[in-house]
Each structure stands twice: as C-alpha cells, then as structure tokens.
Amino acid sequence: MSTNQELKSDALMELMKQHLASDAGKQLTKKINLVYQINIAPKKIGFNEVVYTVDLKKGEVTKGPYEGGKPDATFSFKDDDFVKVALGKMNPQIAFMRGAMKIKGSLSAAQKFTPDIFPKPSKM
C-alpha cells in the first residue's frame, strides 16, 4: 500500500494556496500572522498522515512539516473531517468536541484558524 494516496484535502490545500495569493488572502495573512501545521490522515488520526504547513506569516501553503521552529498550533484531522470543516459543513468547535479535530499548541492561535482562511467553494 502506498502512503501517497490522494486525499480530498490535497485539492483544498491547493485552493487555499491560490486564495492566500489573492488580495483577500494577503489581508488575512497580515491580520493573522501565525503558522499552522495540519496533519491529515486518510482514515485514522495519527496514521499515514500527510503534513501541511499553512504559513500565515508568509502567506504560503506547503507540504511537509514547518521548518522555522514550532508552529503556533497543529491540527490533526481525518481527510473527510478536514474537508467538512473546511467547507463549513462541520463546525470546528463541534469537530473538536467529537474528537474529529485534535489541536496541539496555542488554543488562542488555533481559534484564529477560521473558515475565512479557506476559499469559498465555487458554485458547481
């Protein structure tokens, strides 16, 4: 079994990268100025995770762990749950309480990781 399976989250991260490059994204970067690491597991949190760094100091999304020290907050999700939270189909607080989202690091930093970081889904 390859660990390079396609995650639904990969497409979202790609969209987020484009969103952060836009003017709206640049405003967010200035406002938030924090670094997040997001660990996304295909099926079960903690296993075969794909790691992304969302650097809202530089306005970048990169694959791989953060290399500039410690991220302000780290989130762990299953792929499906990340997609639900990112698309606004699951409230982040509820995801956290249900254990669908795990957080390490600063909770106040984590609370600034809001849905407006994600591009609005285009109407199909």
Side-chain angles (χ1 to χ4, degrees):
M1 187 183 127
S2 131
T3 54
N4 287 354
Q5 65 272 57
E6 281 292 303
L7 295 173
K8 297 180 194 120
S9 304
D10 289 336
L12 271 174
M13 288 299 190
E14 196 47 52
L15 286 170
M16 193 193 300
K17 202 181 280 187
Q18 293 163 18
H19 180 55
L20 290 176
S22 72
D23 289 342
K26 289 183 177 121
Q27 295 298 315
L28 276 171
T29 304
K30 277 193 199 108
K31 188 174 87 180
I32 297 173
N33 201 29
L34 295 165
V35 177
Y36 298 100
Q37 187 170 300
I38 302 179
N39 304 333
I40 301 171
K43 297 275 181 262
K44 188 167 190 275
I45 290 179
F47 294 89
N48 300 327
E49 289 177 324
V50 174
V51 176
Y52 281 95
T53 298
V54 178
D55 186 334
L56 295 177
K57 291 181 175 174
K58 295 184 190 155
E60 294 175 346
V61 177
T62 51
K63 217 167 192 171
Y66 181 52
E67 290 172 2
K70 265 192 148 141
D72 294 292
T74 299
F75 296 94
S76 299
F77 291 95
K78 283 193 331 231
D79 190 32
D80 288 344
D81 292 331
F82 177 73
V83 171
K84 284 179 196 155
V85 170
L87 296 179
K89 294 185 172 145
M90 189 192 303
N91 177 304
Q93 282 83 9
I94 290 170
F96 180 67
M97 289 189 295
R98 286 187 186 156
M101 170 173 81
K102 297 199 170 25
I103 301 172
K104 282 190 195 121
S106 159
L107 277 178
S108 64
Q111 286 168 334
K112 293 189 175 118
F113 194 80
T114 56
D116 57 357
I117 290 169
F118 298 99
K120 295 291 159 268
S122 48
K123 301 281 174 271
M124 295 296 198

